[in-house]
C-alpha cells in the first residue's frame, strides 16, 4: 500500500457498533481549533480529555449537593457523603474488587504508590531485601521504592525488556530471588505500550512470597480489568487518565492486606478515637483518607466510570487496537521514523524518534497543525537510558481517537522531514 494512502478497509465512523462520532461529540474540547486547525489530540496517555457528563457531574457536585462529607448531619452533607461514598462501589464493580471497602480514594496513582511504599514496605523491609521492578517504570513506580530502600537498606533492582519492548519472562524470573519482597510493575508501559502479563507475574511473585503491586495507570484505561482474576495485592490508577478529573486516584488493595497497614497520613476522618495521649484508627479504607478529600472530583470520577462502562471496556479495547495497528502501519511509512516499542499485543501508545529532528522540535512543529503529542522522557528516564535515547515523541490513543488523526500526524511528520531536509 502507498505509504500516504488511507486504508479505508475499516471505517472509523462505526467500527463494529462503536459509534466514534457520538463518542467524539461527548467531548466538548474535541471540537475546538488549535492554530486554526482541528485539534488532533494524541496525548491521552498524559491526561485524557473529559466528556461532558464528567464536567456536568463536577459542576453539579458544586451547584447541587456541595458540602463537606462524613461530618455533617444536614441534608447537603448527607447528599454529598452518599454521592462520594457511592463511588467506591462503582469503582469496585468496575475493576472486579470484592467490595467498596477495598477501594482507597487517593490523590492519584503517585500518592497510592507512595502509600504502599511507606505503609507496607517501610515497616517490613530489612537490609538486603529486594524490590523488583522493570526497566520500563514511570518514576512514580521507582522513586517511592528508592526512598524506602534508602531508609531500610533494601535493594531496588530492575529487570530489562527485550529490544523491541517485549516483556521477557526469563529476564523477570532470573531476577527473582529468595530476598525479593516486592514485585511492582506497570500493567501497561506508558512509553512502550507493552502489556505486562501481570496475572502470571503475580503467581510467580506469590510463589516467592513477594507482594505484587500493579501500576495500572495505562492499563485500566484501555482494557477490562478484574483485580481478583489478576490476583495482585495492589492495583493503582489515576482518574485523570480515565476521562475523569485531576486530583483523584484509586488504590485497590486486598482487604486482608489493607487491614494490616498502619495509616499513611494522620488527621481528621481517619480516626476512631483521639485523646491527647493516643489515637486509634478507623478501619480501611477510611484509615488511609485523612483530611477533607477531593469531593466533587471523586463524584465526577464516578461519572467517568459510568461513562466508559456505558461504552464497554471490551469495545474500547477493540477500537483502540484497531487504531493502534493502523497508527503503526501509517507511522512506519514516514521516512526516518523509528518506532520504540513494538511488542505483540501492545496497547495505548506509539513512541518514536525521527532521524531528522529532536522530539521537542517534532512536537513544536506539528503543534502548528493542531496535532498534540508528547515529547520528552515521559517520566521514564531509566528506560531512555536503556535505549540510549534522551527522549522520544509519543502519540497516544484514547476512546475518541480516529485513524484520520494518525493520517494528520503522519502528514505533519512528513512536513517535519521536509523542514529539516
Ligand atoms: N504510572 C504510569 C504508568 C503513568 O503513566 C503515570 C502518569 N503519567 C503515573 C504512574 C503517575 O500518575 P499520576 O501523575 O496521575 O499520579
Amino acid at each position: 500500500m502507498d505509504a500516504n494512502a488511507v486504508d479505508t478497509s475499516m471505517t472509523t465512523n462505526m467500527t463494529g457498533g462503536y459509534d466514534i462520532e457520538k463518542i467524539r461529540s461527548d467531548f466538548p474540547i474535541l471540537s475546538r481549533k488549535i492554530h486554526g486547525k482541528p485539534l488532533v489530540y494524541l496525548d491521552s496517555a498524559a491526561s485524557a480529555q473529559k466528556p461532558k457528563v464528567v464536567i456536568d457531574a463536577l459542576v453539579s457536585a458544586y451547584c447541587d449537593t456541595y458540602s463537606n462529607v462524613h461530618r455533617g448531619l444536614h441534608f447537603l452533607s448527607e447528599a454529598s457523603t452518599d454521592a462520594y461514598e457511592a463511588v467506591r462501589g462503582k469503582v469496585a464493580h468496575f475493576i472486579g474488587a470484592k467490595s467498596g471497602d477495598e477501594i482507597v480514594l487517593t490523590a492519584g496513582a503517585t500518592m497510592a504508590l507512595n502509600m504502599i511504599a511507606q505503609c507496607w514496605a517501610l515497616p517490613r523491609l530489612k537490609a538486603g531485601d529486594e524490590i523488583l521492578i522493570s526497566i520500563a517504570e514511570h518514576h512514580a513506580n521507582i522513586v517511592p521504592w528508592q526512598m524506602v530502600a534508602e531508609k531500610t537498606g533494601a535493594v531496588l533492582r530492575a529487570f530489562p525488556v527485550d529490544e523491541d519492548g517485549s516483556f521477557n519472562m526469563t529476564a523477570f524470573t532470573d531476577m527473582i530471588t529468595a530476598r525479593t519482597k516486592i514485585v511492582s510493575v506497570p500493567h501497561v508501559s506508558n512509553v512502550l505500550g507493552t502489556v505486562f502479563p501481570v496475572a502470571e507475574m503475580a503467581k510467580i511473585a506469590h510463589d516467592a512470597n513477594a507482594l505484587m503491586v500493579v501500576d495500572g495507570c495505562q492499563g485500566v484505561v484501555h482494557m477490562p480489568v478484574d483485580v481478583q482474576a489478576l490476583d495482585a495485592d495492589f492495583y493503582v490508577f489515576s482518574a485523570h487518565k480515565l476521562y475523569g478529573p485531576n486530583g483523584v486516584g484509586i488504590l485497590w488493595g486486598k482487604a486482608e492486606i489493607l487491614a494490616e497497614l498502619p495509616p499513611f497520613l494522620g488527621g481528621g476522618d481517619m480516626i476512631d478515637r483521639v485523646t491527647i495521649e493516643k489515637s486509634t484508627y478507623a478501619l480501611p479504607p477510611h484509615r488511609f483518607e485523612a483530611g477533607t478529600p477531593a469531593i466533587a472530583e471523586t463524584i465526577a470520577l464516578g461519572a467517568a466510570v459510568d461513562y466508559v462502562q456505558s461504552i464497554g471496556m471490551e469495545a474500547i479495547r477493540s477500537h483502540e487496537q484497531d487504531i493502534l495497528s493502523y497508527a503503526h502501519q501509517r507511522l512506519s511509512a514516514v521516512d526516518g521514523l523509528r518506532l520504540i516499542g513494538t511488542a505483540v499485543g501492545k496497547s495505548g501508545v506509539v513512541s518514536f524518534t525521527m532521524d531528522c529532528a529532536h522530539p521537542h522540535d517534532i512536537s513544536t512543529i506539528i503543534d502548528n497543525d493542531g496535532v498534540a503529542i508528547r515529547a520528552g522522557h515521559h517520566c521514564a528516564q531509566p528506560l531512555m537510558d536503556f535505549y540510549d535515547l534522551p527522549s522520544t515523541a509519543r502519540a497516544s490513543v484514547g476512546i475518541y481517537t480516529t485513524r484520520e488523526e494518525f493520517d494528520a500526524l503522519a502528514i505533519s511528520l512528513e512536513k517535519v522531514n521536509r523542514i529539516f531536509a
Side-chain angles (χ1 to χ4, degrees):
M1 193 173 107
D2 169 4
N4 290 316
V6 177
D7 177 359
T8 51
S9 61
M10 194 180 270
T11 150
T12 53
N13 290 339
M14 211 40 174
T15 312
Y18 193 88
D19 193 345
I20 187 72
E21 291 308 332
K22 160 76 176 67
I23 290 169
R24 288 183 67 81
S25 73
D26 291 337
F27 289 79
I29 206 167
L30 294 183
S31 59
R32 74 157 290 181
K33 295 208 155 127
I34 304 288
H35 307 306
K37 314 270 172 47
L39 167 64
V40 174
Y41 188 73
L42 298 174
D43 198 18
S44 298
S47 203
Q49 297 297 351
K50 319 303 170 198
K52 187 150 185 309
V53 282
V54 167
I55 300 164
D56 287 348
L58 196 55
V59 171
S60 168
Y62 282 118
C63 292
D64 304 324
T65 56
Y66 187 75
S67 174
N68 208 335
V69 288
H70 300 145
R71 291 165 218 171
L73 292 172
H74 57 81
F75 181 89
L76 283 181
S77 185
E78 283 177 8
S80 195
T81 304
D82 288 349
Y84 176 85
E85 285 297 325
V87 175
R88 275 186 228 282
K90 275 185 192 187
V91 173
H93 179 253
F94 178 54
I95 61 170
K98 277 190 187 145
S99 92
D101 289 345
E102 293 187 327
I103 304 298
V104 181
L105 294 159
T106 71
T110 298
M111 178 174 164
L113 289 163
N114 276 275
M115 205 186 111
I116 301 166
Q118 294 298 316
C119 298
W120 193 92
L122 187 61
R124 285 172 179 76
L125 295 192
K126 304 203 172 39
D129 285 346
E130 293 174 359
I131 305 161
L132 183 58
I133 59 174
S134 80
I135 195 67
E137 302 306 327
H138 188 280
H139 297 163
N141 200 24
I142 303 175
V143 184
W145 304 119
Q146 286 174 337
M147 290 161 70
V148 166
E150 241 170 63
K151 287 186 185 146
T152 58
V155 180
L156 180 64
R157 304 179 75 207
F159 65 89
V161 291
D162 288 344
E163 188 59 29
D164 69 351
S166 296
F167 172 77
N168 182 323
M169 188 55 94
T170 310
F172 168 58
T173 50
D174 277 356
M175 287 186 77
I176 294 231
T177 74
R179 294 179 298 278
T180 309
K181 294 290 179 283
I182 298 166
V183 172
S184 189
V185 292
H187 193 173
V188 174
S189 158
N190 67 318
V191 178
L192 304 169
T194 308
V195 181
F196 283 62
V198 283
E200 240 178 298
M201 295 174 81
K203 177 146 186 3
I204 293 164
H206 290 153
D207 286 347
N209 287 322
L211 184 86
M212 179 73 187
V213 180
V214 180
D215 169 0
C217 279
Q218 306 288 346
V220 74
V221 298
H222 296 303
M223 61 193 71
V225 167
D226 180 337
V227 289
Q228 289 189 68
L230 296 180
D231 196 33
D233 298 303
F234 291 108
Y235 190 101
V236 309
F237 60 95
S238 290
H240 69 95
K241 294 181 203 283
L242 188 66
Y243 313 98
N246 300 106
V248 193
I250 297 298
L251 182 154
W252 166 80
K254 282 183 180 157
E256 60 274 21
I257 298 180
L258 290 178
E260 287 173 1
L261 298 190
F264 181 41
L265 301 173
D269 255 16
M270 51 71 75
I271 52 86
D272 172 35
R273 176 84 177 95
V274 178
T275 64
I276 294 300
E277 291 71 36
K278 182 178 161 45
S279 297
T280 53
Y281 306 124
L283 293 173
H286 296 103
R287 183 188 300 166
F288 310 107
E289 298 177 8
T292 299
I295 299 164
E297 290 77 4
T298 300
I299 294 168
L301 163 61
V305 167
D306 288 342
Y307 179 73
V308 291
Q309 284 195 305
S310 74
I311 300 168
M313 290 311 296
E314 226 13 292
I316 290 171
R317 169 157 64 183
S318 84
H319 169 74
E320 291 183 352
Q321 285 303 114
D322 170 65
I323 301 297
L324 197 61
S325 64
Y326 182 73
H328 269 222
Q329 170 198 325
R330 195 70 173 80
L331 297 188
S332 300
V334 173
D335 259 2
L337 187 145
R338 173 186 167 206
L339 294 171
I340 310 292
T342 53
V344 174
K346 69 174 280 192
S347 173
V349 296
V350 189
S351 288
F352 60 92
T353 57
M354 288 177 81
D355 291 343
C356 69
H358 188 280
H360 289 169
D361 294 326
I362 298 171
S363 178
T364 308
I365 292 169
I366 69 176
D367 176 61
N368 284 321
D369 293 333
V371 181
I373 61 164
R374 191 138 294 248
H377 53 62
H378 316 293
C379 296
Q381 286 180 344
L383 186 66
M384 296 296 123
D385 293 344
F386 177 76
Y387 284 109
D388 201 14
L389 292 168
S391 58
T392 72
R394 181 189 72 186
S396 46
V397 173
I399 59 178
Y400 35 60
T401 309
T402 64
R403 289 179 169 209
E404 287 80 0
E405 289 182 299
F406 275 96
D407 290 332
L409 171 62
I411 290 164
S412 228
L413 294 175
E414 295 291 9
K415 197 188 284 180
V416 174
N417 265 335
R418 284 197 299 278
I419 289 171
F420 284 91

